[in-house]
Amino acid sequence: ATATSAWLLDEGNRLDASFHLSDGRMAKALFKKSPCPVEPLSKLTTDIFSGPRFRRHYVSSPETGIPFLSGSDIVKADFNTTKLISKKMTNSLEALKVEKGWTLVTRSGTIGLTAFTNDDFLGKALTEDVIRIVPNEEMIESGYLYTFLASKFGYALLTQFNYGGVIKHIEPHHITDLPIPLLPERQRQEIHALIEEAARLRVEGNGLLQEAEDMLIQTLDIESELLKQLTSAFEKDTKMSFVVSASKVTALTLRARNYSPRLHKVIEVLSKWNSDNLIDVLAAEPFYTGRFKRIPSSSKNAIELLSQGAIFEMKPTGNLISKRAIPNLSNEIVKKGTILVPGQGSLGENEIFGRAKFVWGYLENSLVAGHAMRFIPNNEVIDEGYLYAVISSKLWFRIFRSVVYGTNLLGFIVPMLNEMPVPRLGDKLEKEIGQKVKTAYEKLTQANEKENKAISILENEISSWQPSKQPYTATLR
């Protein structure tokens, strides 16, 4: 295209072609046809800012620290893997916290990711690499503002202003003049209500998952001090050195971690009740799926591939690839009731390696990378939701981290996993715990559906402003 002087004057004499040929400019051109008022973001907000920079002192105990959210954390389904920063050593701690109803936008690295703050965000600190957008609710509904910024139009505008070489950035002052079309109040209220409902459902869903684990731990009747030792981030909290009899060493492994006293104590606690070996409650051994070529595709018949990290996102997103290169595609698709556990990774306390996700609702029939190990419950023997509660618990997380092989990139020793205990609490209690898990994932699924509906309403309305002969064709995340 040929840029006019008006283009340059409008954008502060910016000269790079990618800026002027971006999807953001296409969106701005579309807004000129808006039958609705279009206001700058600054007029609709009370503040747009990133938090203060500070020296980070990480701690391991919730008693001395609070969860610290990075840019990638804000789009996760829960905050169970977040790091903790020191309450005592962190200056301006209150300035790092957020309130409900704000829109968060990542501003460094992967820019333009958005989140709507709900009760789960309260009391947590947030990195300065995320822009906080505080809506003026006398002028705009907080849920509507989030929906626009999370839509393909908002994403195009947010990412238009990026700068930098390898690591991209945007700054709060770059987005103050972002044009925000104000749809009729009836539509804005409908969109806002959907986002508010989605936020509520996510809080309820995560609360039910916590209740399920709490019920399991309480039933096992573990002394609080012992539980703290067994779930500590540090192996040394149980014992630093130990001796293993030669008769106890198996042909499977010589790694000390695989024989640790903590592992044996966890096994003892889980076996306190009647218990089954893991393999006895599964339909098959835990397994990785096959390997296949990942050929990028934009075809209508392409399929979205989720990485083992993507399954922990609030709304999992992946890359579109060709189906043709995937042999036995039906076997690669995850089925309802499957438990997924990232099976390759490292032992960092905040890594996803060894943490679990349940396929019940929004992850059903997805194509997930083979690095995520599959656990298929035998539902004639055990409730799928209850087994997930066990496998995703703090105690089983320590089991996963103890039965590993490898050096930098670790995997699980499946024969050892097979023999690990699953406590049996009786049909009534197991079904009660399992139902909490299933209801939680149903609520998380409903939340995604409501948010997607809100975004669809907004995008369809704005797209209708452009003549059908010139469709909006931006390729966005």
Side-chain angles (χ1 to χ4, degrees), residues 258 263 399-405 411-413 416-417 420:
N258 303 147
L263 175 60
I399 287 180
F400 280 120
R401 291 300 182 91
S402 297
V403 295
V404 295
Y405 70 90
F412 300 128
I413 303 173
M416 289 190 72
L417 272 179
M420 292 298 126

Side-chain angles (χ1 to χ4, degrees), residues 110-214:
T110 303
I111 62 174
L113 301 182
T114 53
F116 184 72
T117 57
N118 57 25
D119 285 332
D120 286 340
F121 283 84
L122 300 182
K124 297 174 177 63
L126 184 63
T127 175
E128 71 274 10
D129 288 331
V130 171
I131 297 174
R132 291 81 156 159
I133 300 175
V134 185
N136 182 343
E137 298 200 47
E138 293 183 0
M139 301 192 67
I140 192 169
E141 298 80 3
S142 58
Y144 174 78
L145 178 59
Y146 163 75
T147 302
F148 176 78
L149 294 173
S151 72
K152 64 183 181 182
F153 301 106
Y155 180 79
L157 292 167
L158 288 168
T159 55
Q160 183 185 23
F161 294 95
N162 74 77
Y163 68 92
V166 177
I167 300 177
K168 301 296 183 183
H169 301 272
I170 54 173
E171 302 294 343
H173 67 268
H174 290 154
I175 65 173
T176 55
D177 292 329
L178 223 68
I180 309 294
L182 298 176
L183 300 187
E185 185 177 1
R186 177 186 58 78
Q187 285 182 303
R188 298 203 312 270
Q189 290 287 351
E190 179 185 6
I191 289 168
H192 172 70
L194 286 167
I195 297 300
E196 286 277 290
E197 180 69 2
R200 182 185 65 80
L201 286 167
R202 288 188 175 116
V203 172
E204 290 180 359
N206 288 330
L208 283 171
L209 291 176
Q210 187 60 56
E211 286 179 21
E213 181 173 359
D214 290 345

Side-chain angles (χ1 to χ4, degrees), residues 220-252:
L220 293 174
D221 193 25
I222 310 169
E223 293 181 5
S224 59
E225 190 59 34
L226 176 59
L227 180 63
K228 186 177 179 180
Q229 287 180 4
L230 297 183
T231 58
S232 167
F234 303 107
E235 192 85 25
K236 67 181 182 180
D237 287 350
T238 304
K239 186 174 280 191
M240 195 64 180
S241 61
F242 53 93
V243 176
V244 179
S245 168
S247 63
K248 298 288 181 67
V249 176
T250 73
L252 288 173

Side-chain angles (χ1 to χ4, degrees), residues 446-462:
Q446 292 167 16
N448 286 350
E449 291 170 350
K450 289 183 181 297
E451 182 170 319
N452 290 339
K453 182 179 179 181
I455 292 173
S456 178
I457 291 171
L458 182 141
E459 289 183 346
N460 290 340
E461 174 61 27
I462 293 177

Side-chain angles (χ1 to χ4, degrees), residues 60-76:
S60 60
S61 171
E63 297 170 2
T64 59
I66 67 169
F68 176 66
L69 305 181
S70 67
S72 59
D73 287 330
I74 68 170
V75 295
K76 289 182 178 177

